[in-house]
Every structure is written in structure tokens, then in C-alpha cells.
Amino acid sequence: MTDNENIQPLSPENLLLKLEENGVSIVEKDVRRDIKTVKRIGYYKLKEIAQYYVLEKNEKISFENLLERYYCDKQLRMNTLHAIEDIEIYLHNCIGELLGNKYGPFGYLDFKNWCDKAKFNKNEVKEDEHKFKKKLAKKAKKSRMPDLKEQKNLNSKSYPTVWLAMKVLTLGELVFLYRRMSVKNKKIIATKFNTNQTELLSWLECLNLIRNICCHNSNLVNIKLTTKPKIPNKYKKSLYFFDKKETNRLALTLVVIKRMMESVNPKYDYTKLNKTLSNLIKRQEDKIDNLTKDKNAQLLGFNKASDINKIFPKRNPRSKRRSKRKKNYSKYTKKVSRR
């Protein structure tokens, strides 16, 4: 028996003490409440956040601030995932429209129709096609979409039309299809996002990674990308550069989302995302100088704290009210005119 097999489980009380050893300040009067929190959230999740402060910022963090940081990260994941889902749906439609219009409702099933023949040989194309069809058949069978049960939407082998197929594919599977497309097809999709094929592929691969992080409750705030996407030129000045190297932190992924969202939904509301990012750089301190804010923003990958408001502006509540009044007024005038 190895030493590892003799490891004994620790009680929530001892796990809280271990958090204290890892740089978390514990207040004695709150110990009972904190023990319950450790049981609910888990030791390793809280330790991961605590180590960020010890290793990156060289400072301790109170249990209260640690908990606040945990919920900030959770809110950030939800806000980020919300935006990615909008981009994903748009990509579904773009690929479905392209393949459907060019190759017919079932032409997408024959990979040699639309694949990059110069990059992928016949055997690779056949193997990819076989794996894709197998996966698609399982997904279509499990899906609860009523349209997938109607025979008019299926071919003789029970595969759905390309437009329906797109609805059951994940973002990762869409990236797989895009990566294998011919150069001409890639360019058509890239123009939908006002970019080139190389840039778009790097953005999509990044988004797929971030989506998986959000869905699996991993730590998004402290992310460090090993493979960096192409930086959108528009937001280069807003990112932090250290030793002439661009950041690989959270800000890089967020500006990619913002750049893509400009093609998907230019009126997208970033108020919640702005609030979460602002909370992350301010924490619970009532008074914090601009220099400290900028340093905290740089840890997220932004050049300055003010760049957050520039890139992700809050929606003006007054303009929202005005637009609502206009809408109500137009409804009223229509009713009057009908009379």
C-alpha cells in the first residue's frame, strides 16, 4: 500500500484551517458560518481563488472577500456565456445557410462537397464524415425537437436537413466543420463577422474553450491562455502589454467576444458584464485610487481600468426609459388611428 492510499478525509473544520494556512483570514465569530460555506462550495474551489491573491498579488484575503470573489467569478461566467450563446446561434445560422444554399438540404453529409481537398486527403475526409454522421445520428435521436421527428425533414437514412442539424451541434462541432471547410467557404463565413478566415478560426477556438470553462464552473477570472487568439486591432490599445508581449488573460477573450458581437448584435447590453468587471477591480474597498484600479485591471489583462467602460459601456437607463415611452406612445397612436 502506497502513502497516497493512506490519505484520510478532512472535516470541514480542518478544511477551513487549511484555507487559513493558504492565506485566508478567518474571523472567529464567523467560523460556524464559514464551515457551512466550505461544505457548500468546496475546499479546492475556494483554495484556487485564495492562491491567486497569495501568488499573484502577494497578499492575504479575508474569507468574506474570498466569497465575494467566488460569486463575482460565477456572475462573470454567466454574463460571458450569455454573449457566447448569441454568437453560437448566429454561427449556426451562417453555416446552415451557406451549406444549405450551395449544396442542398442534405449535401452537407457528403464532406467532399465542401471540404478543403488540398488540406485533407480522401481518407481523412471519409473518416471525418463517418464520425460526424455517427455523432449526428445520436444527437438527433436524443433531441426533443418536434421537427426532427417529422419524416419530411429527414432523408432516406434518417439524417436531418442541414438547417435542423445545425440546431443540435455544439460550438465545438461547429468549429470542427469550419476548420475543414474549403478556403472559399471559410471566407464567406468570415465576411459575416467582418474579418478574415485565419482570424475567425482563432476566435472560434478561443470561444469554444471559454464556453467549456463557463459550462464546467471552472475559474474564468484567472485564466491564462496557452494559445492566444488573434487580437482584434480595434482593441489592441486597451490590452495590457508586458515586455512587448500581449496579455494572455481574461481581457483578451472578452475583446474577442465584443468584436464578434459587433456583427451579431451591435446593440447588445454589456451593463451586467461591466458591473462584474468593475467589482473585480474594486473589490469591497470603499475608497481605492486610480493607480490601484489600473493595477487590478492589468491583472485581468486590461491596460487601464477606464478601458472597461470604453469597451463594455453600460446602457443609459434614461435612454432605455425614453425608448420605452416612444414604444408606448406609438402603440397608443395606432389605437387612436384605428378608432
Side-chain angles (χ1 to χ4, degrees):
M1 186 180 284
T2 63
D3 290 340
N4 289 349
E5 289 172 347
N6 289 323
I7 294 173
Q8 297 296 316
L10 293 176
S11 66
E13 291 84 353
N14 286 331
L15 289 173
L16 184 63
L17 290 174
K18 282 187 75 68
L19 280 175
E20 193 171 22
E21 289 170 16
N22 281 283
V24 180
S25 304
I26 308 296
V27 179
E28 195 172 335
K29 67 181 180 69
D30 296 327
V31 165
R32 288 182 68 182
R33 185 199 65 184
D34 295 345
I35 288 169
K36 288 179 182 178
T37 303
V38 172
K39 285 173 73 175
R40 177 166 49 85
I41 296 173
Y43 164 74
Y44 286 106
K45 187 70 185 173
L46 295 169
K47 179 190 173 185
E48 185 182 10
I49 300 168
Q51 284 189 324
Y52 164 77
Y53 282 90
V54 175
L55 301 176
E56 298 277 346
K57 302 186 78 175
N58 196 28
E59 62 181 54
K60 279 194 166 190
I61 182 172
S62 68
F63 193 89
E64 190 177 351
N65 281 354
L66 178 68
L67 199 57
E68 184 196 24
R69 178 60 182 260
Y70 166 77
Y71 282 112
C72 261
D73 188 69
K74 184 178 180 179
Q75 194 65 47
L76 179 69
R77 289 196 306 271
M78 290 169 66
N79 296 335
T80 305
L81 187 59
H82 187 278
I84 290 175
E85 282 178 347
D86 280 11
I87 295 169
E88 184 180 345
I89 290 166
Y90 183 69
L91 183 65
H92 274 127
N93 296 332
C94 289
I95 293 178
E97 182 184 358
L98 169 69
L99 296 179
N101 290 347
K102 283 187 81 172
Y103 309 106
F106 301 103
Y108 76 104
L109 294 164
D110 191 355
F111 273 36
K112 69 177 184 294
N113 282 341
W114 51 268
C115 261
D116 189 344
K117 298 181 183 76
K119 195 173 181 180
F120 302 97
N121 61 47
K122 285 182 181 179
N123 291 332
E124 285 178 311
V125 171
K126 278 186 178 179
E127 191 178 341
D128 284 344
E129 183 185 307
H130 174 72
K131 286 179 181 176
F132 175 78
K133 284 180 176 177
K134 195 175 179 181
K135 198 178 281 186
L136 177 62
K138 283 183 181 178
K139 284 177 171 287
K141 194 175 181 181
K142 286 182 180 179
S143 176
R144 293 185 179 182
M145 283 181 66
D147 289 320
L148 280 167
K149 311 302 175 188
E150 293 184 23
Q151 200 58 44
K152 65 179 181 179
N153 296 321
L154 310 173
N155 68 0
S156 57
K157 293 183 179 178
S158 296
Y159 288 113
T161 63
V162 64
W163 306 287
L164 276 174
M166 290 299 115
K167 304 304 175 191
V168 297
L169 298 182
T170 64
L171 180 57
E173 286 155 354
L174 292 176
V175 177
F176 165 83
L177 293 179
Y178 184 75
R179 198 184 290 117
R180 277 151 182 75
M181 280 184 182
S182 66
V183 174
K184 193 175 180 181
N185 286 333
K186 278 181 184 170
K187 283 180 179 177
I188 293 169
I189 300 295
T191 55
K192 303 281 187 181
F193 291 92
N194 295 309
T195 186
N196 59 61
Q197 54 180 1
T198 308
E199 201 167 43
L200 180 59
L201 182 58
S202 78
W203 293 351
L204 291 175
E205 287 172 339
C206 175
L207 251 63
N208 188 44
L209 169 69
I210 301 305
R211 187 190 186 282
N212 290 339
I213 287 171
C214 293
C215 290
H216 294 99
N217 301 318
S218 300
N219 193 331
L220 182 60
V221 174
N222 305 329
I223 188 173
K224 291 181 182 178
L225 299 169
T226 49
T227 304
K228 290 184 278 193
K230 302 283 183 186
I231 301 177
N233 286 327
K234 186 177 178 180
Y235 300 109
K236 218 167 205 175
K237 290 180 181 177
S238 298
L239 295 177
Y240 182 58
F241 279 70
F242 182 74
D243 286 344
K244 296 183 180 179
K245 289 183 180 178
E246 69 272 8
T247 184
N248 62 346
R249 299 294 184 99
L250 172 69
L252 179 53
T253 68
L254 293 180
V255 296
V256 166
I257 290 170
K258 173 66 188 292
R259 172 64 180 77
M260 295 184 79
M261 190 58 84
E262 285 168 4
S263 300
V264 177
N265 180 8
K267 293 182 179 179
Y268 187 80
D269 186 3
Y270 296 99
T271 304
K272 288 181 181 178
L273 181 59
N274 178 296
K275 188 179 177 182
T276 305
L277 291 171
S278 298
N279 287 340
L280 282 168
I281 63 170
K282 283 189 288 191
R283 297 199 307 177
Q284 282 190 338
E285 297 147 47
D286 292 326
K287 292 181 180 179
I288 181 170
D289 57 63
N290 289 330
L291 185 63
T292 308
K293 278 185 186 179
D294 286 344
K295 282 182 179 178
N296 289 342
Q298 285 164 5
L299 286 171
L300 297 177
F302 293 100
N303 190 30
K304 291 181 179 179
S306 58
D307 289 318
I308 291 171
N309 287 327
K310 286 179 190 173
I311 304 169
F312 308 105
K314 292 180 183 178
R315 180 172 284 178
N316 187 340
R318 283 187 178 182
S319 64
K320 204 172 180 180
R321 285 199 298 268
R322 280 198 296 268
S323 63
K324 198 172 180 180
R325 280 200 297 268
K326 277 184 180 179
K327 202 180 248 184
N328 291 337
Y329 180 73
S330 62
K331 281 181 183 177
Y332 172 76
T333 51
K334 279 179 184 178
K335 281 182 182 177
V336 171
S337 62
R338 280 174 192 164
R339 288 173 192 171

